Each structure stands twice: as C-alpha cells, then as structure tokens.
C-alpha cells in the first residue's frame, strides 16, 4: 500500500510542485510511555518520492513524521497494523485529498 498526494510548490523543499507524489511508510514504531495515559503511542515516518517505483537509491522529495495514540491507529480501518497506519495518515489535515494506491 502507498499514498498519492500532491505537494504544492510552496510546500516543497525544492520550490517546485510534485503532482501525485508517492508516499510510503518508512517507519511505524510503537512506544510505551511510562506514567502517562495513553500508555502507547505510534511514531510514523512517511517518505515521498516523485516516482511510483522508487528504488533504494531514489531520493525522497518530502518527509513527514506523525505521532498518534495507539488506540487511534487501532480504531482506523484496515486489516493489518500498517494498513491502519496508512488510513490514519490519509485522514490528517496535511494529507487532505490523498488516495490509497
């Protein structure tokens, strides 16, 4: 699974727009927090590429890091943990208009 979304010229670190940028989760990690509620949080790193078929040598054109409560991820639709992470990311304001691919 991946996400396609446009990166506007003003939001791009390169000063140009990237239409249909290809986002994929690079990291999704669960952390247990001591003495807090909720106890478990999820850190999601999302990398974007200008191509839908990046290789290990392809440079990213955007990077985003999200933090979410594990309960919010588990409440998202999807069969597996990563599917739920993608669904949650697509619901964030800065990913408005994104589509799953």
């Amino acid at each position: 699974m991946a996400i396609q979304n446009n990166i506007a010229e003003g939001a791009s670190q390169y000063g140009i727009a990237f239409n249909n940028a290809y986002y994929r989760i690079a990291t999704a990690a669960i952390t247990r927090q001591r003495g807090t509620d909720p106890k478990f949080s999820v850190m999601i790193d999302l990398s974007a590429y200008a191509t839908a078929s990046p290789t290990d040598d392809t440079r990213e054109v955007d990077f985003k890091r999200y933090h979410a409560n594990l309960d919010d991820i588990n409440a998202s639709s999807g069969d597996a943990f990563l599917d739920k992470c993608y669904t949650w990311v697509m619901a964030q304001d800065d990913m408005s208009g994104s589509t799953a691919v």
Side-chain angles (χ1 to χ4, degrees), residues 63-78:
F63 175 85
K64 297 178 183 291
R65 175 169 282 170
Y66 298 97
H67 296 277
N69 294 331
L70 180 59
D71 290 342
D72 293 339
I73 298 294
N74 285 333
S76 296
S77 64

Side-chain angles (χ1 to χ4, degrees), residues 5 20 37 68-69 92:
N5 199 20
N20 296 315
D37 188 34
N69 294 331
Q92 302 313 297

Side-chain angles (χ1 to χ4, degrees), residues 5-27:
N5 199 20
N6 295 331
I7 302 172
E9 180 180 330
S12 168
Q13 63 183 330
Y14 297 103
I16 60 171
F18 291 95
N19 293 326
N20 296 315
Y22 181 84
Y23 284 88
R24 65 180 180 190
I25 291 177
T27 305

Side-chain angles (χ1 to χ4, degrees), residues 3-84:
I3 301 170
Q4 272 190 324
N5 199 20
N6 295 331
I7 302 172
E9 180 180 330
S12 168
Q13 63 183 330
Y14 297 103
I16 60 171
F18 291 95
N19 293 326
N20 296 315
Y22 181 84
Y23 284 88
R24 65 180 180 190
I25 291 177
T27 305
I30 300 171
T31 305
R32 181 180 183 270
Q33 306 296 319
R34 292 178 50 146
T36 64
D37 188 34
K39 281 197 176 280
F40 295 95
S41 64
V42 179
M43 180 194 70
I44 301 169
D45 288 346
L46 197 66
S47 294
Y49 303 91
T51 176
S53 53
T55 67
D56 288 342
D57 295 325
T58 305
R59 304 257 321 170
E60 63 190 27
V61 295
D62 193 22
F63 175 85
K64 297 178 183 291
R65 175 169 282 170
Y66 298 97
H67 296 277
N69 294 331
L70 180 59
D71 290 342
D72 293 339
I73 298 294
N74 285 333
S76 296
S77 64
D79 294 329
F81 176 71
L82 278 179
D83 297 331
K84 292 173 181 285

